[in-house]
Each structure stands twice: as C-alpha cells, then as structure tokens.
Amino acid sequence: MTSEVKYADTMQDLLFIEENDDVDRNPTEVKMSQIVLPCHANHCGELSVGQLLKWMDSTACLSAERHAGCSCVTASVDDIHFEHTIGVGKVVNIIAKVNRAFTSSMEVGILVNCEDLYTDRQWKVCHAFATFVARRTEAGKVQLKQVLPHTQMEQMEYSLAAERRRMRLIHAEIITDLLNSSTAQLGECQEYQDAVPAERTRVESVELVLPPHANHQVSTFGGQIMAWMENVATIAASRLCHAHPTLRSIDMFHFRGPSHIGDRLVLKAIVNNSFKHSMEVGVCAEAYKGGEPLRHINSAFMTFEVLDSDRKPCTLPRIRPEPVDGKRRYLEAVARKKIRLDRKYIISCKQTEVPVSVPWDPSNQMYLSYNNVSALKLMDARNNWVLTFEKNKVRLYTLEENHMLCFKVEMHVSVPAEQTFHLLSDLSRRKEWDPHYEECEVINQADEDDTLYRVVTPSVTKGGKGQDFILLASRRKPCDARDPYLIALRSVTLPTHPPTEDSTRGEVLSAGFTIWEESSTVTKITYYNQATPGVLPYISTDIAGLSSSFSSTFSACSHFLEANKDSLAALPHSAQ
C-alpha cells in the first residue's frame, strides 16, 4: 500500500500549505487565529480539546456558509487524531475550505497548526473533514453550486471527497456488521484483579442551550455540543486513572438531529474499556425541552491516554464492565480498537511504516478499498507527466518523483464509457488482450464494487519463474459528470493464498484505469501504474524507448473493446 500512503500523506501534510496569490485563493477559504489564554486551558496549562473543537467547527461553518450563501449546520465529522497538545501562549491557526459540494451537503477540509511566537516554529496538530448541510431557505431546498478547484492539490481533494463521501454513507452499516461479527468471536470479557468497576467512571451532566451557544438560526453549534461531550468524557477518563487524561482521537460521528436555544442537553459518558496504554470512553448527547421525551443528538467514542513527565503513555488500570450492556460495550470497544488500528495502519501511516501488501479481511475492506481508489485518483490528478513515446495513437508517459517511477498509457476508443468500464473491470477477461495476463481467477467477490483476483504473469527471462499477484480490484462509477469511471488495483495478502514454489509473488503498489466519457461514442482510457520491481521488467524497455510493446498491447485492448461493445459482458453484473 506504499503508493496510497505516499500520496495520501503528501496530500494531508500539504493540504493547505500552498501559498497562492489572492487571485488564485480558494474563495471558500476561511482562516482563524487564536492565542491560547488561561481561560481556554485546563489545569495542566494545555488548550482544552473542547475549545479547539469549537474553533474548528466555527471556522468550517463559516467556510461552508461562504460557499452556500445561506445558513449551514454540521452533519458529521470524520475521525480526528490529535498529534500534539497546545500550551498557553501558543497561537492556534485554523484554515478551512470547501473541498466539494454535492446536492445540499459539502465536505469542508480543516487543518490546525500550532505556532510558537517566540521561536517562529509551526507544527501540525490535526486535520479533519467535516460535512455541512445547507439549510432550506424560503425558496425551498438549496441546490449547491459546484466547487471549482484552482490548484492541483484542490483537484486532488475534490476527487477524493467523492470517495470519502461514499465511505461515510456506508460507514455506520459496515461498523455495525463488523462489531457484531467481531464480538461474537471475542467471547467472554476478561477478568482482571484490581479492575475498576465501570460504574465508577459514569458521568451525567446537563447543559442549558443559551443564545451564545447557537448560530443566527438558533441551532446549537455542533462544536459546542462536541465541547460539552469532550468535557464529560474527560471526567469519566479521569475517574478511571485519577490523573489528567489526554484526548488522542475521536471516531467518526454523525449528528442525528438538531438542538436549539432553550433545549436541555443531557450528556452521559462512561469508560467502555481500558487497554494497556489507552482507554475508550463512550459519550451520548440527548436533548429535551419541557415535558418532551429525550431526543438522541449524537454519540461518540473518544480515545484517551495518560502521559508521564516524559510525555510517554502510562499503564492504565483495567476496567470491570457492568452486567449485560456493560459487557456488550466492553467487547465492542475491543472490536473498535482493531478497526481503529486497521484504519490508521492503512490510511494514516507514512510510506516507510507499512509493507506494500496489506492483509485483506472483512474488517479492513472498507479502508483498503478507499485507499486503493484514492491512490489512483491522486495519480490521475498529477499534472507533471512527461510524454516518453507515442505510436498508433497510444501514448506512454512517465513521472519520476521522490525516487518513485510511475507511468501511464493513454488512448481513445470508439466505445461508450459505461461499456468500456464494465468490460475492463472484469479482470478475468484481460488475458484476451494483455499478454502479461496468463491466468486470472476470482478468489472472492467481496461486494459489488470490490473483487479479489489471483493473476499469473509469464517469466521475462527464458526458463525463469513466472510471477503471481493477489490483487484487490475496486471499481467506481462517476459521482457526477466531472468524475471518471475508475478501476483501481493494488496488492493484498490472503492467508488462503500464500506464495508457491511455482512462481514468484509480485506486488502492485497502485495501478488501474480511469475512463472518461468524451462523447456518447468516444471514450478516453488512461492506464496508470506505480512501478515496482515486479512490474518494471515488463515495461523497462518501453520506458527506455527500446521497444513499443505497450502500443501493441493497448491496440489489442482497443480491438477487444470494440469487438465486445455490444456483448452481454458490457452490461452491469446485475443486468446479466
């Protein structure tokens, strides 16, 4: 997964670092700078994360409203990992801008940096993606205008926003399925001596929503609700460890309903489970007014650590769960920890921290699929490709960057884009036009969009071993007319398919097709590959200009597509 991580890491670190002239500045960009005063800090002299969440939400909301031209409310916030704490006297710099707008919702990217005014140092604290929804106006439902990316980085974010949106929409359902399957395998809760009863960590608090807590539409700020939730979660964590806990991460959460001025917000928190160096606290926010029944506003899971004087995590007491629901929360926290580690391992780590092939299983399928597609989208957004060779209207481009070699092959075919997509996304048929595919078998049809294949390729030397690859193929249809069809490929490992003596196990960092509809009958196909030692022997002579085998391969692809454009294979699987 090196390629995905490499590009995603670059994207996150450079998310808003580009310095543009005012002419090129994103019109939705909003900046906020706040000096951390004692009133913003806890007793350790560190900025309260609740206060930081309020500032982040306010900045993001202003960016969303600037784009929408009307009032907006926070709908959800993706996972947030806090890399550093912020001390009194430091300056917090927050930048937010709309990455992409959909029908009535939009994704806002948020970057938080800390600045030391005396040493002129700056460092990243966290980044986040929040979804805001434009409120209805008197004229009816809002139809948001599209975001126009100004830079290569904004184009990358625009493209990735569609994939992040897809993951959000399926997140709750998939997490529920994973928790059900994982907790069934975990069995009973472990018993520890000297464990702290979970009920001792239980916290309940009520807040009255007043005008300063709400926007001009009298809806409670999402950031204010998050701040209150962080407050009770910190109290619950402190009751377990009898020390000051540090909030490290907040899992993705959704606001289930609105809260308004005059509401009473009931906030409940409890430590679900503690591990060696971290603990998970579950928090729930409910609202009522007068004699109304409680309305569920939000639930979140927050991970805390306790740091010693050297800023190293301390060993924490174990928890004894309450009967029934407490045991369920305890086991679900174990399952969530694994999901959290998978997510961080696949999406957040730097290139040098993970192997190329990541083990595939249902618990990380969503994140592998996301990263598979993201890596291809990021290669597609690059604009510094160099034309190396052209023959028979097939073009070969290369890109060398950070000691990585990528190549792409581009051509046009007289086949509708959707048929092209369905023909190329069936890898089992690729051997009909690609001589590098000797065999291709389906290992697992994970779902409609993700399939696992074993591909066998011939030896490049006489008498040598061939190679085999275990590939995850992720396919995506366009979100709108400004997106291509996508078929993304990357290597994974499967315990059921270990390397064999008959072939050498090869690895694909990132590869795949983007398919753009240029007219109802003309389609532009671009094939990308981030070269690995296993792939380079097949294309090195082409890149060096000593061969043009790529031209004959992709000409064969063109003939294959045109010969099969009216076949049943060109139809979606559900239609066959």
Side-chain angles (χ1 to χ4, degrees), residues 356-365 368 441-446 450-455 468-473 490-500 505-507:
V356 175
S357 293
V358 175
W360 180 93
D361 66 54
S363 70
N364 66 12
Q365 177 191 331
L368 275 174
E441 62 171 313
V442 175
I443 298 173
N444 185 352
Q445 181 78 50
D450 294 303
T451 308
L452 293 165
Y453 293 91
R454 178 177 179 264
V455 175
D468 73 336
F469 299 80
I470 305 299
L471 298 180
L472 169 65
R490 57 151 297 140
S491 283
V492 295
T493 60
L494 285 174
T496 55
H497 288 73
T500 64
R505 177 58 50 88
E507 292 183 315

Side-chain angles (χ1 to χ4, degrees), residues 37 66 143 153 224 233 289 350 384 447 473 520 544 574:
L37 301 174
R66 177 177 284 183
Q143 176 70 48
M153 196 60 63
Q224 179 63 68
K289 186 180 291 184
K350 296 183 186 297
N384 50 341
D447 59 30
S520 59
S574 59

Side-chain angles (χ1 to χ4, degrees), residues 43-309:
H43 62 278
C44 295
E46 297 171 346
L47 173 65
S48 157
V49 174
Q51 180 63 61
L52 177 59
L53 290 169
K54 285 200 285 187
W55 287 339
M56 290 169 65
D57 182 66
S58 297
T59 311
C61 186
L62 291 172
S63 173
E65 291 184 346
R66 177 177 284 183
H67 180 73
C70 62
S71 176
C72 296
V73 294
T74 315
S76 68
V77 180
D78 291 2
D79 308 330
I80 308 176
H81 178 72
F82 300 97
E83 298 178 21
H84 301 282
T85 56
I86 304 171
V88 171
K90 301 295 190 293
V91 172
V92 177
N93 296 310
I94 304 173
I95 305 177
K97 57 185 174 183
V98 177
N99 291 329
R100 185 163 182 165
F102 302 96
T103 305
S104 59
S105 67
M106 66 207 97
E107 178 190 277
V108 180
I110 311 162
L111 179 70
V112 180
N113 284 325
C114 181
E115 178 183 359
D116 188 323
L117 295 173
Y118 299 100
T119 63
D120 200 28
R121 287 180 57 242
Q122 291 199 38
W123 57 93
K124 177 181 160 187
V125 175
C126 67
H127 72 271
F129 298 102
T131 301
F132 284 80
V133 175
R135 293 175 62 96
R136 288 177 177 269
T137 63
E138 293 180 1
K141 190 173 182 179
V142 175
Q143 176 70 48
L144 294 173
K145 60 180 181 290
Q146 276 296 339
V147 172
L148 299 176
H150 291 270
T151 66
Q152 178 180 311
M153 196 60 63
E154 289 178 1
Q155 179 59 50
M156 288 181 182
E157 285 301 324
Y158 177 90
S159 183
L160 290 172
E163 188 62 17
R164 284 190 290 264
R165 179 174 184 257
R166 176 185 181 275
M167 191 162 71
R168 282 179 209 117
L169 293 174
I170 63 175
H171 180 267
E173 180 183 342
I174 287 180
I175 292 296
T176 300
D177 290 344
L178 292 178
L179 289 176
N180 291 338
S181 61
S182 299
T183 51
Q185 296 170 11
L186 289 170
E188 291 299 313
C189 304
Q190 276 189 275
E191 295 286 342
Y192 294 95
Q193 285 188 338
D194 304 321
V196 177
E199 53 266 29
R200 289 189 193 173
T201 70
R202 186 180 293 279
V203 181
E204 182 170 327
S205 182
V206 65
E207 298 283 354
L208 174 62
V209 181
L210 299 172
H213 304 140
N215 60 23
H216 47 286
Q217 298 291 326
V218 305
S219 294
T220 314
F221 282 118
Q224 179 63 68
I225 297 173
M226 289 188 277
W228 284 331
M229 294 174 74
E230 185 269 340
N231 177 61
V232 294
T234 300
I235 295 171
S238 300
R239 286 181 175 172
L240 174 70
C241 61
H242 302 296
H244 176 70
T246 298
L247 179 58
R248 278 299 178 215
S249 66
I250 305 175
D251 290 1
M252 180 189 294
F253 60 86
H254 300 260
F255 286 92
R256 308 296 179 88
S259 166
H260 303 99
I261 291 174
D263 277 348
R264 279 69 170 168
L265 238 64
V266 180
L267 303 136
K268 301 174 184 177
I270 191 170
V271 176
N272 291 330
N273 203 337
S274 62
F275 308 97
K276 186 175 182 181
H277 293 137
S278 66
M279 69 185 97
E280 181 193 276
V281 180
V283 198
C284 174
E286 298 173 310
Y288 72 94
K289 186 180 291 184
E292 295 176 358
L294 288 170
R295 310 188 310 275
H296 185 194
I297 302 298
N298 193 3
S299 292
F301 299 100
M302 304 185 182
T303 302
F304 288 85
E305 293 176 349
V306 176
L307 305 179
D308 62 18
S309 56

